[in-house]
Amino acid sequence: MLSERMLTAVVRQCTKSYLKLQPTDDARVPGPKPGQKYMLYMHVPFCERLCPYCSFNRFPFAEERARPYFASMRKEMMMLKDLGYDFESLYVGGGTPTIMLDELCDTIDLAKETFSIKEVSSETNPNHLIPSYLDKLQGRVQRLSVGVQSFDNGLLKQMDRYDKYGSGEEILERIGEASPYFTSLNVDMIFNFPAQTEDILINDIERVIESGTSQTTFYPLMASPSVARQLARTVGRVDYDREQTYYEMISELLTGGDTPLFDFGSAWTFNKRGTGAAGEDAMIDEYVVDYEEYPAIGSGGITYLGDNLFVNTFSVNDYNAAIAEGRMSLMGKTTFSKRDRMRYRFMMQLFGLRLDKRQWEHDFGCTVEAGLPVEMAFMKAAGAFDRDTRDELTLTPKGRYLMVVMMRQFFIGVNNLRDQARAALTGEERELLFG
């Protein structure tokens, strides 16, 4: 589709310009703005084995590396308290956050004691959906997001996940057993793998429905250039020409028909009707939709505050050393112009299905039409808007897909940012990742 190709090229160029790291000597992130609500992101970069498609900061797990790391994160959390931050939400990403469950629980408990946290979301992998883990997570975590990617055994083997996490049938059974422990259980899926046929995708959607999960997220396969090369060697080259067809199949099977089972939570998140996860307030993996600004702790964490995006060192050794010295581990930052911030708001709110025009004018001092005339003209010409009033913008089905394209390309840009940070690794840590 021509509009998709144009949008991909434009977002790619934009992210290259404003997601470019510059070194920083800042010892800490800026303090909070009075009256603003914040979420805390916490990054746990350890995995039992590394997946070829993942661009996040991650290292092979070793207890002697992970245990002091969790202690450092708890110290960094208290640095944010000293700066005056309070948080109403906590998101723990990875890596595999549940890799050391006792340390994770201690860290969540400290966060709840220290801040006004009402909800905790954590990622995990299917092999941790067992009673000994679920019992400890229950009550501590309201939303658990499980990385499934596919229920197809052939794809799981291609991704090197079959031996790690079990067959699609085993994973499906574990999800059903885990779901009652949480307010929301999210099943993370990926679509448009090179070897994924329409039949495989339909089967994946049917298994998601069968699992009884309260939420599912279908990500398009996306990769920075470094991961794309690894992907090509393991699962094949990505074909973006069929992405829209696959997305439309997912949307129709989950939200279409006379009695839809799911509603859209974002352009690629679907909330099951009649569950605690339904509605506009349901937590989603793209926390940036609900919290435009947020500090991030941990090695590889990315913070967005004010005009600046900060990146923490990707070295666990350097991270621990910085925290021990009483400073944060900021290794680089990039500064957004007003236009960059408007583009970011435009993308994030529309990805969340509604742009608040009144809030936009209050924050930026202009209308969205005056602030982003080219972007608005493109989206209107493409038929992206369902409602375009003085108060709001909402999306048509075509508009939702265009937001998937924008977010896919934006996250590829963020992955490129991570590649810049990862390239600075030296010594033993570089060997762990690059061999």
Side-chain angles (χ1 to χ4, degrees):
M1 161 171 94
L2 180 59
S3 54
E4 181 274 333
R5 291 172 185 166
M6 290 174 61
L7 196 56
T8 295
V10 169
V11 177
R12 181 188 296 126
Q13 192 57 43
C14 287
T15 54
K16 276 184 181 179
S17 65
Y18 69 75
L19 290 181
K20 190 170 183 179
L21 275 181
Q22 301 296 330
T24 181
D25 295 326
D26 294 356
R28 298 201 175 193
V29 298
K33 297 176 184 174
Q36 181 154 333
K37 294 180 179 180
Y38 292 94
M39 181 216 69
L40 174 62
Y41 176 82
M42 181 187 303
H43 193 73
V44 180
F46 304 108
C47 292
E48 283 133 339
R49 276 154 68 182
L50 307 184
C51 296
Y53 53 82
C54 180
S55 295
F56 286 83
N57 189 32
R58 72 273 195 274
F59 285 95
F61 170 71
E63 182 174 345
E64 64 273 15
R65 183 186 298 270
R67 199 170 291 281
Y69 176 85
F70 275 97
S72 293
M73 279 207 302
R74 291 191 286 271
K75 291 178 183 176
E76 187 177 19
M77 193 190 305
M78 302 313 288
M79 292 181 191
L80 290 173
K81 181 180 185 297
D82 292 342
L83 287 172
Y85 279 96
D86 193 12
F87 303 104
E88 61 177 28
S89 181
L90 170 65
Y91 190 102
V92 192
T96 308
T98 51
I99 196 96
M100 290 197 75
L101 191 59
D102 58 336
E103 292 287 350
L104 175 64
C105 290
D106 287 347
T107 307
I108 291 173
D109 290 347
L110 178 61
K112 287 186 170 183
E113 292 166 10
T114 305
F115 306 112
S116 306
I117 290 175
K118 301 172 185 174
E119 57 187 14
V120 177
S121 182
S122 177
E123 298 171 358
T124 192
N125 280 318
N127 59 324
H128 291 171
L129 298 182
I130 55 178
S132 60
Y133 279 68
L134 298 173
D135 288 340
K136 290 186 177 181
L137 292 172
Q138 188 175 31
R140 286 189 170 95
V141 172
Q142 284 66 54
R143 176 182 176 276
L144 192 69
S145 186
V146 185
V148 174
Q149 322 315 359
S150 176
F151 290 99
D152 182 80
N153 290 330
L155 287 181
L156 291 173
K157 289 174 182 177
Q158 270 197 343
M159 290 182 271
D160 192 26
R161 293 178 68 87
Y162 185 91
D163 292 337
K164 286 189 287 186
Y165 305 131
S167 67
E169 294 77 15
E170 291 169 320
I171 294 169
L172 181 63
E173 183 178 353
R174 286 184 175 180
I175 290 169
E177 293 169 353
S179 187
Y181 285 81
F182 306 97
T183 303
S184 174
L185 183 73
N186 176 69
V187 173
D188 266 358
M189 305 293 288
I190 294 178
F191 70 95
N192 203 26
F193 273 107
Q196 186 180 45
T197 64
E198 291 189 7
D199 286 342
I200 290 175
L201 177 60
I202 291 169
N203 182 70
D204 273 346
I205 299 166
E206 290 174 344
R207 298 292 80 76
V208 166
I209 294 169
E210 180 186 342
S211 74
T213 187
S214 52
Q215 187 183 72
T216 184
T217 304
F218 272 83
Y219 297 98
L221 186 62
M222 46 192 166
S224 62
S226 63
V227 174
R229 288 190 290 271
Q230 176 69 4
L231 273 173
R233 289 194 295 269
T234 55
V235 302
R237 294 193 178 277
V238 184
D239 178 9
Y240 289 112
D241 288 340
R242 64 181 188 173
E243 182 185 73
Q244 183 179 4
T245 299
Y246 279 24
Y247 177 73
E248 289 172 350
M249 289 170 59
I250 295 163
S251 299
E252 175 59 27
L253 289 172
L254 291 176
T255 70
D258 295 332
T259 55
L261 297 174
F262 288 79
D263 293 315
F264 283 97
S266 75
W268 62 42
T269 300
F270 305 85
N271 298 324
K272 189 174 182 181
R273 291 189 165 191
T275 69
E280 294 180 0
D281 295 330
M283 298 176 74
I284 60 175
D285 282 355
E286 282 64 55
Y287 46 83
V288 291
V289 171
D290 296 318
Y291 297 93
E292 187 169 288
E293 298 187 27
Y294 51 90
I297 63 173
S299 172
I302 297 177
T303 290
Y304 179 42
L305 295 170
D307 298 338
N308 293 312
L309 186 147
F310 299 90
V311 178
N312 295 347
T313 177
F314 272 47
S315 165
V316 171
N317 295 335
D318 291 349
Y319 172 76
N320 287 336
I323 301 303
E325 293 170 4
R327 58 184 175 85
M328 294 180 175
S329 65
L330 308 175
M331 58 85 64
K333 73 177 180 181
T334 184
T335 301
F336 287 5
S337 67
K338 181 180 177 180
R339 185 172 179 81
D340 291 336
R341 288 188 291 115
M342 286 193 291
R343 282 175 169 163
Y344 185 80
R345 170 81 63 87
F346 184 79
M347 179 168 56
M348 293 305 167
Q349 285 203 357
L350 282 177
F351 176 77
L353 307 180
R354 178 181 181 273
L355 185 144
D356 186 332
K357 284 189 169 184
R358 301 282 185 184
Q359 187 65 41
W360 178 287
E361 290 186 44
H362 176 271
D363 292 345
F364 294 116
C366 65
T367 64
V368 62
E369 289 84 0
L372 297 178
V374 176
E375 290 83 348
M376 283 293 290
F378 172 84
M379 295 292 277
K380 286 181 179 180
F385 297 135
D386 180 30
R387 286 177 56 81
D388 182 2
T389 69
R390 282 280 300 158
D391 295 321
E392 66 179 0
L393 288 171
T394 64
L395 300 170
T396 61
K398 172 76 172 293
R400 285 195 295 267
Y401 175 64
L402 290 177
M403 296 318 300
V404 167
V405 172
M406 288 180 71
M407 285 293 279
R408 177 245 292 163
Q409 210 56 45
F410 173 76
F411 280 131
I412 288 174
V414 174
N415 288 343
N416 289 334
L417 191 77
R418 293 188 178 105
D419 286 345
Q420 294 174 52
R422 189 177 290 110
L425 291 172
T426 59
E428 170 251 359
E429 289 182 311
R430 186 174 182 84
E431 286 296 312
L432 280 172
L433 292 187
F434 299 108

